[in-house]
Structure formats: structure tokens, C-alpha cells
Amino acid sequence: MQLTYVDAIRQALAEEMRRDPAVFLLGEDIGIYGGAFKATAGLVDEFGPARVVDTPLAESAIVGAAIGAAYSGMRPVVEMQFMDFIACCFNQITNFAAKSHYRWGAPVPMVIRGPVGGGVHGGPFHSQNPEMYFAHTPGLKVVEPATARDAYGLLKSAIRDNNPVLFLEHKFLYRRVKDEIAEDGPAIPLGVAAVARPGRDLSVITYGAMVQLAVETAQALAGEGIEAEVMDLRTLAPLDRAAIVATAKKTNKVLILHEDTRTGGIAGEITAILQEEAFDDLDAPILRLTSADTPVPFSPPLEAAFLPSAEGLKAALRRLARY
């Protein structure tokens, strides 16, 4: 059946709750209201308020309860109404959940999921991309799917994983992309990148909503004789180093694209990987296209200037192709 990105998330949650009674959900307004973006709509009717738990507006309390439940053998899935407010739980996630297995062998099978990203004029507190605060932390897995199929399959793997997983859902994609998804379909392994579009002339390495921008731009440039490969990372921690190196060795030219701000973004780490493992294969400098190092503007024209654009990506890829 055809499912949108948000419907695929809801389907994965329902199937994992049916499969494993240890899986339960908790978050603000996720019960009768169905969540801010309706990702949990109707689940309380099937599973009841003991497994779809409405919480107070207190992110640190929600995550603290989930960590305790995970220690006790449950598999909690936390919804953040907006991932921007995960900052309230930074200490619990990085100093407790992430380090528990290293310190004393305790698995912490929990998922924290919710919307990220701009393009919807949400302003500086509802549009951020906080992935790199957490991808830097050993013990955490960080996932950001670009398609409905990946949202479904990666969420299943995240729920089944014994490590804490941050599952970032770009809100711009919720109802803009859809895929054919079978009931009780397969999980998609974490840490494995995918080629979203094959190409021979250069590679765009990206993730999340920028995959859609990259594929659309690559298709437009094909009319100019430039065949760009688009690599969808899917998981930022762990990174699929082998796939990153393989696409660079195939095309010999790389542009790294992400919506996160420039300084400290994943582009820097990918550049280091390529310098270490594919330097002799590169025929051009590695380019980066990212958002600006500012808070996300609320004003629509300013937000458009802040975010990577199709025209900016076309110009960068044309420049790279000329080397």
C-alpha cells in the first residue's frame, strides 16, 4: 500500500508494538490527540493509554522515564514534539543512556524520535537540525531517513536495537513523499547507506530532506550531460565509511550536502574519511554545501536564503564537473 512518510512511521510503530509487548510509546499529546504531526494517530485506540502514554510537557522527565524503563527491559519510544527541545535532555542522553553499556554492560533499548529541519517557516526553535550534537557521542546511534520506505524499515531496526537511537524525521517530508510499503515488511539495517540515484561524473553525499533536493537537481543536470550519483547516508552514527569511499572512488569528485549548519557538520567528518581513504582517487577538491552558521530564520525569504537551494546546488555541481 502507498504510505506517506508519516504514515510509514505510524505503521512501523503499530507493527512493532504488536510484535513485542515490551514496546510502548510516551510523549506529549501522543494519545487521543495523535501527536503534533499525527504520527501516533489512532494508536491509543488499539493499544490503550498504558502503552501510548501521554506525558506532561517536561522533556527531561519523559527521557528520564524512558531510560529507567529501558534499564528494566522495556523498549520505550519517545516522541519529541520538536527535536529542538531535546536540548533539555542532553545530560541524560549523553552521560547516562549513551554510556551505560560501556560503564556496566547495561543495554538501553530506547528510541527518541521526532521532527527536525526547516523549510516550513518554524523559526529558530522549531526548525533546527541537532544531529551532530549526538553523532559525536559514542554509544548513540543517529538515524535520519529520506524516504517513506526507509522511515518504516529503519524505525523497525531502531526499536529492535539494544542501543539508544535518535530517530530524526524531517518534517518537510512527512506528507510530501510516499512509497509502496507492504504490511509487516522488512527492517532496514542501521549503518548502511544507499545509492538514491546512480551516476558516473560526480557524487553528492547527503541525508534527510536534502536527498530529495539532490535527486531532483541531479535529474535536471542530466539534461546538460552531467550524471550525478546521490548517496543517501541514512544513518549518521555509525557512518557507512565503505559506501562513502566507494562512491568517491567511482566518480572521483565529491560534494557533501546537508541542511545542518556548516561548522561542525557531518561534511567535515566525511571529508576527513575521504582524505584518509580515497585521497589518490580524487580529481577535484571536496566541496560542501550547507546551511549558514546562523539560527534558522523565521522570515520565509531569509529562511530560503539560509537553506541550501536547488540553484545553489546546480551551480556547485557545474563547478565540480568542470574540474
Side-chain angles (χ1 to χ4, degrees):
M1 54 185 167
Q2 283 280 321
L3 296 179
T4 64
Y5 190 102
V6 72
D7 290 337
I9 288 165
R10 186 186 312 110
Q11 183 72 15
L13 290 171
E15 290 178 3
E16 289 303 296
M17 292 177 78
R18 294 177 196 130
R19 187 187 69 86
D20 185 350
V23 178
F24 74 102
L25 316 180
L26 64 166
E28 300 161 9
D29 296 324
I30 65 168
I32 294 172
Y33 188 68
F37 292 89
K38 305 304 178 185
T40 57
L43 296 184
V44 71
D45 298 327
E46 178 176 354
F47 299 103
R51 293 186 70 193
V52 183
V53 182
D54 271 326
T55 67
L57 198 160
E59 287 83 3
S60 60
I62 299 166
V63 169
I67 293 172
Y71 283 158
S72 301
M74 302 296 286
R75 292 188 174 272
V77 180
V78 170
E79 176 174 302
M80 292 275 158
Q81 279 199 354
F82 291 88
M83 272 291 187
D84 309 60
F85 300 107
I86 199 171
C88 300
C89 329
F90 189 82
N91 182 59
Q92 292 160 297
I93 295 167
T94 60
N95 279 334
F96 290 89
K99 294 180 174 66
S100 291
H101 189 268
Y102 179 83
R103 292 173 66 205
W104 51 286
V108 190
M110 61 180 285
V111 177
I112 302 173
R113 51 157 296 271
V116 299
V120 296
H121 320 315
F125 300 108
H126 296 83
S127 304
Q128 296 175 85
N129 293 277
E131 54 264 30
M132 291 310 294
Y133 294 117
F134 299 99
H136 179 72
T137 303
L140 292 178
K141 295 188 176 182
V142 181
V143 180
E144 186 164 342
T147 68
R149 183 177 292 107
D150 283 354
Y152 172 85
L154 291 168
L155 183 53
K156 287 195 157 201
S157 287
I159 292 171
R160 297 174 192 182
D161 202 293
N162 282 333
N163 299 280
V165 180
L166 269 63
F167 196 87
L168 310 178
E169 305 159 6
H170 201 293
K171 64 179 77 70
F172 190 80
L173 300 176
Y174 272 149
R175 291 172 176 84
R176 284 182 170 87
V177 297
K178 60 176 59 177
D179 284 311
E180 189 71 26
I181 298 172
E183 288 190 30
D184 293 314
I188 295 172
L190 305 185
V192 179
V195 175
R197 182 187 191 276
R200 63 173 186 271
D201 297 323
L202 51 84
S203 298
V204 181
I205 300 175
T206 187
Y207 61 93
M210 292 293 102
V211 173
Q212 310 299 325
L213 176 65
V215 169
E216 291 168 5
T217 303
Q219 289 168 344
L221 287 178
E224 302 177 19
I226 300 171
E227 289 292 342
E229 180 153 294
V230 178
M231 172 68 67
D232 179 2
L233 294 172
R234 302 201 290 194
T235 302
L236 304 183
L239 271 175
D240 190 345
R241 295 173 67 102
I244 291 168
V245 171
T247 192
K249 289 188 173 185
K250 176 183 176 182
T251 68
N252 313 115
K253 299 176 183 180
V254 174
L255 180 141
I256 306 162
L257 169 69
H258 58 68
E259 188 180 316
D260 190 13
T261 49
R262 188 175 184 88
T263 301
I266 198 72
E269 181 62 26
I270 294 170
T271 299
I273 291 170
L274 294 176
Q275 292 289 342
E276 292 166 354
E277 301 187 31
F279 179 78
D280 291 339
D281 297 280
L282 296 174
D283 293 339
I286 298 168
L287 301 186
R288 290 183 291 172
L289 183 62
T290 71
S291 292
D293 282 333
T294 73
V296 186
F298 172 77
S299 158
L302 290 178
E303 186 185 37
F306 164 85
L307 293 169
S309 68
E311 287 308 309
L313 181 56
K314 283 180 184 178
L317 293 178
R318 288 180 183 125
R319 174 187 165 200
L320 189 59
R322 287 195 295 267
Y323 277 95

